[in-house]
Amino acid sequence: CLSLLLAACERQPLPFPTPAQRDLVVAVQSGPLTFTTDDTGKVAGLEYDLIEAFAQDLGVNVQYQEVSPEEMRPLLANGKVHFAAAWFSPEPGDDGTKASPPLLHSNDVLVQHEASLPVDELSELKDRTVHVLAGTRQATAMHALQASIPDVNVVEHKEGTVFDLLDEVGRREAEMALVDSAILDIALQYEPSIQPSLIIGDDRPIVWLFGDKPNSELVARVGAFIDRVQKDGTLARLQDRYLGHVRRLGAADIDKFLERIETVLPRLRPHFQAAQVSTGLDWRLLAALAYHESQWDPNATSPTGVRGIMMLTEETADRLGVSNRLNPRESIQAGARYLNYLKEQLPASTPEPDRTWMALAAYNIGPGHFNAARVIAKQLEADADSWFEMKGILPLLAQPKYYQRLKSGRARGGEAVILAENIRSYYDILTRHEQPYRGTPALSGKMLGLAGISATARESRSQAALSVSRPPM
């Protein structure tokens, strides 16, 4: 009887998820590359996208349990979840927890204020203070380091995010912090006053963690899935989606942008928000586009004749009914409608966010050149609906062996890629510093009046925009 009782009490893993009977249950921790929710309530994250793809392979739904780091291990140990995802790395000597094959690799980087003398060797950490998030790989690494450098002080933060921690370093409220290298790449867009100084430890694999008695069939299926997405390019595409545009802007570029958010953007914000009302495009995306085009200068003029805050050609402005390209209100409305038109011209098979990045590239080189790049992509058997693959195709528009066969001729496709990637970074910064706009219908109508765009005029101009072709700048 005692043997039967012990067997009954022994922890059992969750059964294998099946379409007819049970969902895949995953414990996640909030983080920019794992599980995060945007202003619209949409969930995103590199690991989240992978989990969704894996569940699709199984034909099941996913139940997410968003928990703290301290709650992860008990859930795994008690067999309450199938696996856990939180940008994990297995700890050295941690043989009791089964891990998936590595998804990616990263490392731990010591971060300081740019004005600090950089730490070049571990011995220089004596009598210094390093801040970490509680329950993270970095906290474990620093406590292990105390065995050889007992005089290093480790401060664990149980509240806030890694961005909050790095913000403290940027304000010189924290001496230094240890963070994941991939997270740091994202954070450098927001905190130009911080700098990496020393990599601590070896490269670490990023894995999904199972309990000590996982479902063997599930472990095998996860392993096969990870092998497939690494070989077929799925993982590379997701890396590009979340990390491909970071580290393109220099610290000086970010500093200048942050300064203009404070000094220039306030008087332009109503025009961008009015454009959001009339087009549905996030006003912060439109502001990011306008900044890249003109640095938010309503009087900007290029040598090729494009003018205004959205840098419209004379032909484009005429077709969109713009009477004065140097009027920021008119220019922003027209640029927003033009970007919307470019998005609508892409086939239904092009998903978001790829559709938006492609439309931004087409804004730069014109829809004719961009469509020519899509033709080249199909000829080379590349995926014309993937921004990841189109980034490699667009520069070919400057090569004679390709553009000589095209009606549209030569175009600086490489510049279009850079434009789109930089706008992605500016947009990321704005979404961190600026709130989304959610105007009431009454207020929305007032803002449309402010923009000077009646419904009838917008409709007629949208029809005119169908024939717009923006020549290369």
Side-chain angles (χ1 to χ4, degrees):
C1 291
L2 180 61
S3 298
L4 290 173
L5 180 62
L6 291 173
C9 294
E10 185 178 352
R11 294 187 299 268
Q12 297 295 324
L14 283 178
F16 188 83
T18 58
Q21 295 182 343
R22 58 187 62 87
D23 295 339
L24 177 69
V25 184
V26 183
V28 294
Q29 179 187 345
S30 178
L33 292 175
T34 297
F35 192 91
T36 185
T37 305
D38 66 15
D39 298 322
T40 66
K42 182 180 178 181
V43 179
L46 192 155
E47 288 189 283
Y48 169 79
D49 287 349
L50 284 172
I51 293 166
E52 288 291 312
F54 176 59
Q56 186 174 3
D57 275 5
L58 298 181
V60 300
N61 296 319
V62 187
Q63 290 184 28
Y64 292 98
Q65 296 190 20
E66 189 174 357
V67 297
S68 68
E70 293 80 7
E71 296 171 308
M72 284 281 184
R73 300 270 178 179
L75 282 175
L76 289 169
N78 294 326
K80 300 296 186 183
V81 297
H82 285 107
F83 61 84
W87 209 249
F88 274 128
S89 291
E91 299 300 336
D94 188 3
D95 299 325
T97 302
K98 178 74 175 177
S100 72
L103 297 165
L104 300 161
H105 287 80
S106 68
N107 47 48
D108 297 330
V109 183
L110 201 64
V111 181
Q112 300 175 261
H113 190 273
E114 61 180 355
S116 303
L117 290 175
V119 173
D120 297 320
E121 297 180 3
L122 288 176
S123 60
E124 296 175 22
L125 290 176
K126 182 180 178 181
D127 299 323
R128 308 290 288 274
T129 300
V130 180
H131 296 253
V132 294
L133 290 183
T136 61
R137 182 184 77 205
Q138 293 74 38
T140 302
M142 285 308 305
H143 289 305
L145 196 62
Q146 285 180 312
S148 57
I149 310 176
D151 294 322
V152 62
N153 183 34
V154 180
V155 177
E156 293 194 44
H157 294 244
K158 294 186 177 181
E159 302 292 336
T161 69
V162 65
F163 296 132
D164 297 327
L165 182 58
L166 291 172
D167 185 51
E168 290 188 20
V169 176
R171 297 196 308 267
R172 310 198 78 169
E173 295 174 3
E175 183 178 7
M176 61 185 74
L178 189 66
V179 300
D180 180 271
S181 56
I183 305 299
L184 176 61
D185 284 342
I186 297 173
L188 284 171
Q189 297 181 107
Y190 315 130
E191 298 291 345
S193 60
I194 61 176
Q195 63 179 5
S197 61
L198 181 66
I199 294 175
I200 294 182
D202 299 325
D203 282 358
R204 302 295 300 276
I206 302 301
V207 300
W208 291 340
L209 293 185
F210 303 94
D212 54 357
K213 294 182 179 180
N215 182 289
S216 57
E217 182 181 359
L218 182 67
V219 172
R221 290 291 294 271
V222 167
F225 169 77
I226 291 175
D227 181 65
R228 176 178 67 78
V229 297
Q230 288 175 335
K231 290 178 178 177
D232 68 10
T234 299
L235 186 55
R237 288 181 175 86
L238 288 176
Q239 278 185 275
D240 180 75
R241 173 170 295 181
Y242 289 96
L243 297 168
H245 62 293
V246 300
R247 289 215 171 195
R248 285 183 172 269
L249 299 178
D253 298 319
I254 298 172
D255 275 331
K256 181 180 178 181
F257 184 52
L258 292 173
E259 184 271 331
R260 294 202 172 188
I261 288 175
E262 296 293 328
T263 60
V264 180
L265 182 58
R267 65 176 178 269
L268 295 171
R269 189 183 290 111
H271 301 315
F272 290 123
Q273 291 176 344
Q276 174 182 312
V277 171
S278 61
T279 64
L281 296 173
D282 188 333
W283 76 269
R284 296 166 297 184
L285 176 67
L286 298 174
L289 169 59
Y291 182 82
H292 191 280
E293 290 288 292
S294 67
Q295 308 284 287
W296 291 333
D297 178 5
N299 298 313
T301 303
S302 82
T304 58
V306 293
R307 305 187 73 188
I309 196 168
M310 301 299 279
M311 296 299 273
L312 303 172
T313 65
E314 186 173 5
E315 179 188 8
T316 300
D318 287 344
R319 290 180 182 275
L320 291 169
V322 176
S323 60
N324 181 5
R325 285 184 288 168
L326 302 184
N327 182 315
R329 181 187 63 204
E330 289 192 65
S331 183
I332 290 169
Q333 282 286 338
R337 292 199 307 276
Y338 182 56
L339 181 62
N340 231 5
Y341 161 73
L342 295 171
K343 288 183 67 174
E344 291 168 357
Q345 297 313 296
L346 291 166
S349 55
T350 306
E352 287 287 7
D354 300 54
R355 174 181 293 269
T356 295
W357 312 143
M358 291 187 195
L360 290 171
Y363 191 101
N364 178 256
I365 60 173
H369 287 306
F370 189 82
N371 289 335
R374 287 180 59 86
V375 171
I376 294 174
K378 293 173 183 177
Q379 291 172 346
L380 298 179
E381 298 184 350
D383 184 358
D385 292 327
S386 164
W387 174 242
F388 174 73
E389 298 205 22
M390 288 300 292
K391 287 202 300 185
I393 298 296
L394 282 163
L396 301 181
L397 293 174
Q399 296 184 17
K401 64 181 288 188
Y402 292 102
Y403 74 69
Q404 286 178 352
R405 296 180 294 171
L406 301 172
K407 251 185 209 182
S408 55
R410 181 180 181 276
R412 297 192 292 270
E415 290 185 15
V417 172
I418 293 171
L419 173 139
E421 297 291 87
N422 286 348
I423 292 172
R424 290 174 68 181
S425 290
Y426 290 132
Y427 181 48
D428 284 351
I429 295 170
L430 283 170
T431 55
R432 180 167 174 79
H433 288 272
E434 295 288 328
Q435 293 298 314
Y437 176 68
R438 299 185 179 96
T440 63
L443 181 58
S444 298
K446 179 180 178 180
M447 293 196 72
L448 286 176
L450 173 67
I453 305 293
S454 68
T456 303
R458 288 199 312 278
E459 182 178 355
S460 64
R461 289 169 183 176
S462 296
Q463 293 299 318
L466 295 178
S467 59
V468 168
S469 178
R470 185 177 193 259
M473 292 168 56

